[in-house]
Amino acid sequence: MKNLEVKGARQHNLRNISVTIPRDKLTVITGVSGSGKSTLAFDTIYAEGQRRYVESLSAYARQFLGQMRKPDVDSIDGLSPSIAIEQKTTSKNPRSTVGTVTEIYDYLRLLFSRIGVPYCPKHHVRIEARSPAQIADAVMKDFSGMVTVLAPVVRKKKGTYEQLFRDLNADGFTRVRVDGEIYRTDDEIKLGRYIMHNIDIVIDRCDASDRSRINEALEKALEHAEDGLVYVSSGGDTKDAVYSAKMACPVCGMSFEELQPRMFSFNSPFGACPTCNGLGFQMIFDPDLIIPDKSLSISEGAVATYKNYFDGFRVQYLKGVGDYLGFTLMTPIEELTREQYNGLMYGTGDAQIHFKQSSRNAEFAYHGTWEGLLPQVARLHSESKSDYRKAELEKFMRILPCPTCHGKRLKESVLAVKIAGKSIADVTDMSIDDALSFFDSLKLTEKEGEIARLILREIHSRLTFLQEVGLGYLTLSRSAGSLSGGEAQRIRLATQIGSNLMGVLYILDEPSIGLHQRDNQKLIATLKHLRDLGNTVIVVEHDEETIRAADYVIDIGPGAGIYGGKITAAGTPQEIAEAKDSLTGKYLSGEYEIPVPASRRSSDSYLTISGCTENNLKNVTAKIPLGTLTVVTGVSGSGKSTLIYDTLYQALRQKLHQSKETPGAFKSLSFDGKLENVIVIDQSPIGRTPRSNPATYTKVFDDIRKIFAETKEAKIRGYGPGRV
């Protein structure tokens, strides 16, 4: 069939409409908000296409995908397998980034593991391979007395490994170390199938000074070990020394594993920063929240963590700390010296402090150490088993960049692997435009070029697709949860172009949202490219440029809700502009227009925020008139959201509502008018549960329940508002 035929659509507010949509064309469905555009595109056409595709699968596959309801429509003919690209943020997972969502990061991991050059993170020298003789020299230098040489054969992998133990026994190995415990290979070793295990062959136990025996043991270990690693243990609770026959620093002897893709993943324990577990940030107790008002003294309640349970015991305890450090409980915190403040907050080490305690019947003194306010609340938080207690203490915590990896998410040794002087984190921190330039100018040896040729081609093509949809300003390390609905759609759109599918029905929901007019033509060109591959593209859109660029336009209206649900016009953009009953057509023809105001409102009061330097802001000062409608505009990625959402909004929340969220970097905030509240209205969904609806969200339903609870019948039955 040349067309997609929809007959008798009655889903939601659609009024038994029938419509013909040309296949392999770019079709725009437009109309006023609430007229039924999304109902026709997503709840009818897409839902039926998805339902039919799922029904074509086996019963086994269907149980995992779920069954979609059949929309209220008489028939849909000429339907292709459909893909919906809706206005939803890609992922709320803090581990998801633009790089992981587009799979570019997977190719970067592969690239760095194949041609990356490791450097020592301490001495910044290139890592070289070690021979068994060099490892023997290091063992003799690092150890004295008896040592055990082990060969790791299984590292953090699941399985029972029964056959492995039999094979090792047949090869003459009598002992193995399994998850830290020594076993004989002829014993019956039972391992959990779905638990990660570490298995090491015990090669030999000998004196570290016996050069010939150490050499022999190391050579044998390297024959059987995974990734050219050898473990040497002196026993007890000390950690194994790890030596690599492949990579080690010639200055400090620090050993490195053979580079593998999993080492560059912040979602894997092999690559993730051990402090933040690959998140790039931590919930950390903030000194400014523990002592928020430094003009107060301890006796006046300066220590916020003590306010709810400040008693004589704590007074005496902190008095002892003050006596040792040289201040009193009446001294304002801001008057403490740096040494006194640091001692109060971070402790006094092993110094013995004289404390006095008194009760109703006795008074006694003792000596002890002071751990500090910060370590104290951290200890209480970790030791507490009460969710309420933990929640109370978490009020004094802030989300801050990880102090170990500084937001890079990866281990120090992984970040020391470079290509052209750049680590994988350096590349992901580049904008997509800059990353393209970096790879275009990358100079490799003939061998490296042959290894990386196919990987670089995939990376380049995916970066190019993202650039073509107007997302060149994004960085690959940008959190997927921070993307706007329009950005998330365009990322998925770029991914679909890269898949090169044909004969697919794509349905998009206002992809131009958040896109500057400068980049609009890029988006339209991308939609046309998707069409030219041999696909049918249906776009729900209000944007004039997109409507005029469409092959076919369907206008739904004339109003919203019960006043909509009808096809007011259908045809080319020119035919829509000439249609008398089409509200969209009247605007396209110029008959209707949005008038420019003859005068603008002015204000004598201003909100001023100065010295904004967060992200790409260059010491920006913004002076915003109060009591007016102010628009902040600029090309995508210019810093609008950083200035308003990340800096101004968070700073106002902190000033007006004592929010614990850290705003973007700025110098000062002031306003000379009345300002009592700050509210952000964004594209986040308002409903948290399937039970949410406009009545519950606006609290209207609370009043409705109260009215019903006041009826005579409700009172007779004893029904309160909670029963309705």
Side-chain angles (χ1 to χ4, degrees), residues 304-319:
T305 52
Y306 287 177
K307 277 188 175 179
N308 294 333
Y309 41 91
F310 199 93
D311 53 31
F313 164 70
R314 294 194 182 275
V315 171
Q316 294 298 323
Y317 204 84
L318 290 178
K319 185 178 184 302

Side-chain angles (χ1 to χ4, degrees), residues 489 565 593:
Q489 273 198 96
E593 62 180 11

Side-chain angles (χ1 to χ4, degrees), residues 603-612 619-626 628-632 643-644 648 668-672:
S603 175
D604 296 328
S605 302
Y606 291 90
L607 165 68
T608 304
I609 186 166
S610 63
C612 302
N619 198 27
V620 170
T621 295
K623 190 175 181 182
I624 301 171
L626 296 177
T628 63
L629 172 62
T630 299
V631 173
V632 180
L643 175 63
I644 301 302
L648 178 60
S668 64
L669 172 68
S670 63
F671 46 89
D672 51 12

